[in-house]
Amino acid sequence: MSPSSRENHVQNPFKTWKLLVSPLIKPMDIVSLFMKSALFIFTVISIYLLFFYALSNKLHYSTSNCPQSQCDTNRLLSSQKKLLTRQNTTLYNEPKTNVSHIVFGIGGSANTWDDRRHYCELWWKPGLTRGFVWLDEKPNKTWPATSPPYKVSQDTSRFQYTSWYGTRSAIRIARIIKETFRLGLGDVRWFVLGDDDTVFFLENLVTVLGRYDHNQMYYIGGNSESVEQDVIHSYTMAYGGGGFAISYPLAAELVRVLDGCIDRYASFYGSDQKVQGCMAEIGVPVTKELGFHQIDIRGDPYGLLAAHPLAPIVSLHHLDYVLPIFPNMSQIESLKKLMGAYKTDPNRAVQQSFCYDLSRNWTVSVSWGYTVQLYPSLETAKRLETAYLTFKSWRSWSDEPFTFNTQYFSPNPCERPIIYFLDRVQKVGKGKDQTLTTYERVKSEHDKDCDNKAYAPALAVKRFQVAASTLDPDHWKLAPRRQCCEVINDGGSRNSAVRIKIRECKPFESVTPP
């Protein structure tokens, strides 16, 4: 090879490759090959999806006519496919959790439903809420249209129960989650379990559950208020009367092991204990939310609700065992009144704010939609956020201990605040995005006023009017902080009525007495 030709070859190293390849592959051939490949892939995926849904439907419809063990296997396979679909859809934007994504399982009895149904009917919304009351037998009278629909639980005589102080109904109630799951209802994110005397606050329940990824395994609820109950039963379980929520993926795991757990934990007293035993085996702890209330207390719940934790109120329970939450009313009338305020601003219900009137050295504490406390002195924030001991413990009727701090509620009227209760609530503002609540004193013939002269100006106040903007549910997605308030004094109403405005706290603002 001559030097010139060798140089030519070095300067054009790809010339030979180009001459070999370019006549074989044209640009249009490349485009055609790409289109054919895409069409092939699309066809394969379409066939796979058709097969997937056909199999899912077959599993779903075949459960109505099959042996129990085979049905359970089919349901578990179907749930696994649903979980895979759920995990895939998390790549896209899912709609926010709403009440239609929740299925309720309520433990009830045919003999006691007439006495208990009024609690369920306070929050149940026919045509909107989904779920069932699970009864021990078929009722012998017409079922109320205002109640949740009912189903009769399966026979549980094959299971062991050895708790000497409990009843076998705990087995039936524990299996509600399994029997509800087996119904195969669509688009379920959460199963919420409760008792027939549990009162749920629906919008707040949705707000709380909406903060969690329903595609993960969650077990959400609260403890008992009485330490003696937590010691006897468990600190690590969600108490069933206050209600608890189980995400769909966790429910799919739970139903697989539940029946075995019931026998393994035959000595456990309650259905919620048995469910928590299963959770321990699965390895999922309870996620505690302070708005679930078991109400394991006796006496007057006023102190608890007047200093509610900084969390949305989600549930109340055991309301037949405590005094009515409003004076001179039945418990159902009291709850209807509380619900009336709640519906105008769900996220603000019983949320506490406090502020000072420095012109008169007064302190005001507001539990929105429930009560106002007026102190004719400047009190610390620590004292104001501590619940008054207006109640006793559940089992021993003792003054302590509880799972939250309490303070003595003196019978001496000169050593406690002047108390006002909700009278009415209304929406105001151009967009009806604000509320005005009015609170008045309700005295019984046994109540006595403080005869100390320092109390006289405060005792002259007949009512409080509290203005607030409607609280956005997204408020609870932020780091928790109590909202501030201020006393607004203007004109002649100053002596008989006090106006309060609740608002967000300003930067570097705190409730600090001078």
Side-chain angles (χ1 to χ4, degrees), residues 200-238:
F200 286 108
F201 295 80
L202 281 182
E203 292 80 2
N204 286 353
L205 175 64
V206 170
T207 295
V208 168
L209 296 183
R211 298 205 308 260
Y212 296 91
D213 181 359
H214 58 274
N215 296 296
Q216 305 297 317
M217 292 187 185
Y218 277 109
Y219 166 49
I220 301 172
N223 281 159
S224 170
E225 293 83 2
S226 292
V227 168
E228 58 193 17
Q229 288 291 94
D230 293 320
V231 169
I232 292 171
H233 300 296
S234 180
Y235 279 101
T236 60
M237 79 176 189

Side-chain angles (χ1 to χ4, degrees), residues 276-335:
Q276 194 279 324
C278 292
M279 296 299 186
E281 295 184 4
I282 297 170
V284 176
V286 61
T287 298
K288 296 178 184 178
E289 280 284 346
L290 297 177
F292 288 85
H293 295 293
Q294 174 77 1
I295 308 294
D296 274 348
I297 57 176
R298 308 282 186 168
D300 191 345
Y302 175 82
L304 174 62
L305 295 176
H308 190 271
L310 192 56
I313 183 171
V314 174
S315 67
L316 295 173
H317 179 237
H318 276 159
L319 294 167
D320 282 338
Y321 299 90
V322 293
L323 295 175
I325 59 177
F326 284 101
N328 305 327
M329 287 186 174
S330 69
Q331 192 65 281
I332 294 297
E333 290 172 338
S334 293
L335 289 167

Side-chain angles (χ1 to χ4, degrees), residues 1 39 60 84 100 138 152 226 273 316 328 433 454 457 495 508:
M1 182 181 292
L39 181 61
H60 177 74
L84 289 173
S100 72
K138 186 175 181 179
V152 178
S226 292
Q273 276 184 293
L316 295 173
N328 305 327
D433 58 349
N495 293 326
F508 308 109

Side-chain angles (χ1 to χ4, degrees), residues 11 89 100 119 217 264 312 314 337 341 469 481-482 503:
Q11 289 176 351
T89 57
S100 72
Y119 290 120
M217 292 187 185
R264 281 190 291 278
V314 174
K337 187 168 190 175
S469 297
R481 186 185 183 187
R482 183 184 297 108
R503 53 169 175 76

Side-chain angles (χ1 to χ4, degrees), residues 31 45 96 112 206 261 276 296 302 321 361 398 402 423 430 469 473 488 500 505:
V31 173
I45 292 174
K96 287 184 177 180
T112 60
V206 170
C261 287
Q276 194 279 324
D296 274 348
Y302 175 82
Y321 299 90
N361 285 338
S398 302
F402 296 95
D423 179 61
K430 292 182 179 180
S469 297
I488 302 173
I500 303 289
C505 298

